[in-house]
Amino acid sequence: MGIDQSPPVDISEADAAKELMRLAKAIAKHDRLYHSKDDPEISDQEYDALVRRNAALEAQFPHLVREDSPSKKVGHAVGSSPLGKVTHEVRMMSLDNGFSDEEIHEWVARVRRFLSLPEDEPVPITAEDKIDGLSCSLRYEAGKLVRAATRGDGQVGEDVTANVAHIADIPQEIGGDHVPDIFEVRGEVYMSKQDFAALNAAQEEAGAKLFANPRNAAAGSLRQKDASVTAKRPLRFWAYGWGTASEVPANTQHDVMRQIEAWGFPVSPFLKVTDTVEEMLAHYAEIGRQRPDLPYEIDGVVYKVDRLDWQQRLGFVAKAPRWALAHKFPAEQAETTLEAIDIQVGRTGKLTPVGRLAPVMVGGVTVTNVTLHNRDEIERLGVRPGDRVVVQRAGDVIPQVVRNLTPEVEREPYNFPDTCPECGSEAVAEEGEVDVRCTGGLICPAQRTERLKHFVSRKALDIDGLGEKTIDQFFALGWLESPADIFRLRGRKDAILALEGWQDKSVDNLLASVESKREPDAARLLFGLGIRHVGEVTARDLLKNFQTLPALRKAAEQACAGDDEAFAEITSIDGVGGAVVEALGDFFHEAHNVEVWEDLLSLVSPPPYVVETLDSPVAGKTVVFTGKLATMSRDEAKAQAERLGAKAAGSVSAKTDLLVAGPGAGSKLKKAQELGIKVIDEAGWADIVEEAG
Ligand code: ZN
């Protein structure tokens, strides 16, 4: 439709940071709802809109990408699945996304830089269409299918071996030449557009629930406890890669895929090797042109570096490989009426406006809600309830308002509330800030319950059975004044039992699940407290360094009291800066927070954080690279260090164990020598890498 796929977002950096924070929270919440209930609160389209908005902001402000960013997470956790769990030996990654041609050029340039390739060296890259289904890993041992698993969160998936037995595209046995002893074929389970339409028609006739799109239908059909339900659903499969392999049958992505095809698996009809960015973009355009006529839904094109030795060197960052990229198709738009604007109050007190729409089909999916982000966004769009608006969903399923169609006439603008709809406190935007926040703090029930919900969420303490409704209910009864009160619930067993809807078993389950967290992971506990700038990854990095929460608190307080050494120790942790120190300082400065902290630590005993060590000479050590490296880029060197279990830091401090110095090393080398830190050259580093295998 000729819409720019990644328009720059018109937003200040401060606003972007805040919005990213809010998006991370919202997406985590909906992940939880989606996977713990069958009936999520928002549609897939709305969910994807949040993810897309997050991606757009991160693309524009790469330095604001949060440690707890949803873009660093893969798929869903399988905690509440009725299916068995399967741990993937080789993690199932997700893909980074690109939207504009420039991003594709930039990605290829990045690959070149990482590999230190000369400008004229061709970089062959495979391109194929990205089918919209459910990722699945199929393990073959001695040619026989022994296990099938969904991606899950990338590390642990669900066992769907019995379910895939009914998918005709998946061979139960593979034979012929070159079948390794162990080989995991990875691909997508999907449903064709036609089969999806027929299934929904049958569901409707039977008075059963309709599926929102083919992907949901495929996922819902595969993830069935009763495999005979799966058997009745017309599922298909195609392969796009592989996982664990005792032997890889070729040296390039393309040739391995052709071998997988020869074993009897369907692969993308568009799969081909391209040699230039121009060829990649031409293939993308061609696939886009054919997209409406394809019998299945696709949402983009996937590029992969063809040479497997290069893939190996490029490795991974966070959740995604550096050697692959998904080039998404552009947004689709439609007109509808904005019927109402609702205000939601979050954990930090932020008032977020949500637009309720007259339902409208956008690219084949019904959209009913849009996020309006904040007060300024409403002002910028000039929208009021009743206005005609253009909504857009990008990627495959999305909603945001891009334009107001209502003619500009003299009228009262929308009145953004100046009081909190939940507690009635004044709601204000601080000087220079765009977000309007409830000033009620601890008296605001919305903020308090949102904090409790964060505390028990999957990425924090992960307390099963303490859902949003239960928290709201217990909170209203005055049983949950602070997170610590969760650990006092066992004293209220009879009172809980007396509530409607609770039975012995459900109360026992809840209390058992609380009791199982008496010795919680310290990093999760820290993350659960919701301290600004302390996301999931930062919390873990802090604990890796300080081992215990009291040690971290001591260092943070010293650092904020002007102790340079304590400040340096915290900020020497890769990815942790002054903002984290300040946020920790602010947190411990509040008497109330200290009270909650001490109360909590009197009820739970997180064991000291143990750093996982690999069997490598630099495992657990802190390595700094400086000077010019001849055989690899700085990024590749850091990635190698991380692969060996070492921490790659940016600056030399007393915590540094090893300095790898190339020619031209300056102040870092001098400092390392002063501190008596071991210094080696690039060849010495290569020996370590080789030794570790
Ligand atoms: Zn409030």
Side-chain angles (χ1 to χ4, degrees), residues 345 420 422-423 425 438 444 447:
V345 183
C420 170
E422 301 285 339
C423 71
S425 298
C438 162
C444 181
Q447 292 185 49

Side-chain angles (χ1 to χ4, degrees), residues 51 65 122-123 138 148 278 321 366 377 389 432 442 454 483 486 518 539 546 567 620 647 656 664 666 672 681:
V51 173
V65 172
V123 182
L138 310 168
E278 288 66 34
T366 309
E377 176 75 354
V389 291
L442 291 172
H454 172 74
I486 292 168
R518 286 278 172 186
F546 290 100
F567 186 88
K647 200 163 61 179
T656 308
D681 62 8

Side-chain angles (χ1 to χ4, degrees), residues 468-494:
E468 310 224 333
K469 288 206 177 99
T470 306
I471 287 181
D472 288 338
Q473 187 184 23
F474 288 5
F475 179 82
L477 290 163
W479 296 352
L480 294 179
E481 292 293 316
S482 89
D485 287 340
I486 292 168
F487 292 94
R488 297 193 178 93
L489 283 174
R490 64 180 171 193
R492 299 193 189 270
K493 184 170 176 183
D494 292 340

Side-chain angles (χ1 to χ4, degrees), residues 470 473-474 495-507:
T470 306
Q473 187 184 23
F474 288 5
I496 300 174
L497 256 179
L499 299 173
E500 202 181 320
W502 288 88
Q503 281 99 38
D504 275 322
K505 189 163 176 271
S506 51
V507 178

Side-chain angles (χ1 to χ4, degrees), residues 68-180:
D68 63 348
S69 165
S71 65
K72 295 189 177 180
K73 296 170 190 162
V74 177
H76 60 276
V78 297
S80 53
S81 166
L83 298 159
K85 294 181 186 183
V86 173
T87 301
H88 299 297
E89 276 173 25
V90 175
R91 189 175 176 160
M92 290 186 81
M93 306 301 279
S94 66
L95 296 174
D96 281 338
N97 292 328
F99 301 96
S100 64
D101 291 0
E102 291 70 38
E103 285 173 276
I104 309 310
H105 278 283
E106 174 48 31
W107 175 67
V108 175
R110 235 173 15 243
V111 165
R112 270 181 188 289
R113 279 199 302 275
F114 191 98
L115 297 172
S116 304
L117 298 178
E119 269 313 303
D120 52 352
E121 169 114 31
V123 182
I125 285 174
T126 63
E128 65 194 296
D129 47 340
K130 184 174 181 299
I131 200 158
D132 198 18
L134 180 72
S135 288
C136 203
S137 185
L138 310 168
R139 186 181 176 94
Y140 290 82
E141 292 180 5
K144 286 197 172 54
L145 176 64
V146 294
R147 202 180 58 216
T150 63
R151 177 162 70 190
D153 65 2
Q155 319 232 42
V156 180
E158 295 157 320
D159 189 334
V160 289
T161 313
N163 309 70
V164 305
H166 303 287
I167 300 177
D169 289 337
I170 297 179
Q172 292 294 304
E173 263 180 65
I174 53 178
D177 297 336
H178 318 297
V179 176

Side-chain angles (χ1 to χ4, degrees), residues 178-429:
H178 318 297
V179 176
D181 291 340
I182 297 170
F183 198 88
E184 286 178 9
V185 174
R186 290 184 172 172
E188 205 85 348
V189 170
Y190 68 99
M191 194 176 282
S192 75
K193 289 176 184 169
Q194 198 181 357
D195 287 339
F196 165 70
L199 173 64
N200 257 359
Q203 292 283 107
E204 189 160 22
E205 197 151 306
K209 206 178 155 183
L210 300 187
F211 293 101
N213 54 45
R215 177 169 55 82
N216 276 16
S221 300
L222 183 67
R223 298 170 59 208
Q224 288 281 342
K225 195 173 183 181
D226 179 359
S228 71
V229 176
T230 307
K232 295 188 194 114
R233 302 278 171 80
L235 294 176
R236 312 284 315 258
F237 177 83
W238 94 19
Y240 60 65
W242 61 96
T244 300
S246 57
E247 193 188 329
V248 177
N251 297 324
T252 63
Q253 177 76 28
H254 181 262
D255 289 353
V256 177
M257 290 316 299
R258 290 297 173 223
Q259 180 60 62
I260 289 173
E261 187 178 31
W263 289 334
F265 295 88
V267 304
S268 162
F270 289 103
L271 175 65
K272 73 174 226 180
V273 181
T274 61
D275 284 318
T276 63
V277 176
E278 288 66 34
E279 256 184 80
M280 291 162 69
L281 296 178
H283 199 45
Y284 171 86
E286 174 58 23
I287 293 173
R289 198 182 59 72
Q290 295 192 35
R291 181 185 183 196
D293 303 321
L294 295 175
Y296 45 82
E297 295 273 5
I298 60 174
D299 60 2
V301 171
V302 177
Y303 306 124
K304 291 176 182 169
V305 171
D306 196 35
R307 278 177 57 167
L308 301 187
D309 57 338
W310 284 358
Q311 288 189 6
Q312 178 81 22
R313 283 175 59 193
L314 284 157
F316 302 90
V317 62
K319 53 139 203 173
R322 285 194 188 86
W323 44 265
L325 188 75
H327 190 177
K328 294 299 199 84
F329 287 126
E332 300 187 72
Q333 299 189 337
E335 279 182 42
T336 187
T337 302
L338 178 68
E339 294 189 324
I341 297 174
D342 290 349
I343 303 288
Q344 291 175 349
V345 183
R347 172 159 60 94
T348 61
K350 188 192 164 187
L351 271 53
T352 301
V354 176
R356 309 294 180 195
L357 304 174
V360 61
M361 293 289 279
V362 188
V365 174
T366 309
V367 172
T368 52
N369 294 319
V370 282
T371 173
L372 290 165
H373 305 298
N374 52 43
R375 185 176 62 183
D376 284 12
E377 176 75 354
I378 292 181
E379 224 170 83
R380 185 180 73 78
L381 291 164
V383 287
R384 298 176 41 124
D387 283 356
R388 290 293 288 174
V389 291
V390 175
V391 292
Q392 164 175 312
R393 63 183 193 99
D396 214 4
V397 261
I398 286 283
Q400 77 189 66
V401 173
V402 287
R403 222 166 33 251
N404 188 1
L405 296 173
T406 308
E408 281 191 43
V409 288
E410 276 297 306
R411 56 179 192 156
E412 284 285 301
Y414 173 74
N415 238 335
F416 201 89
D418 51 15
T419 56
C420 170
E422 301 285 339
C423 71
S425 298
E426 205 186 343
V428 296

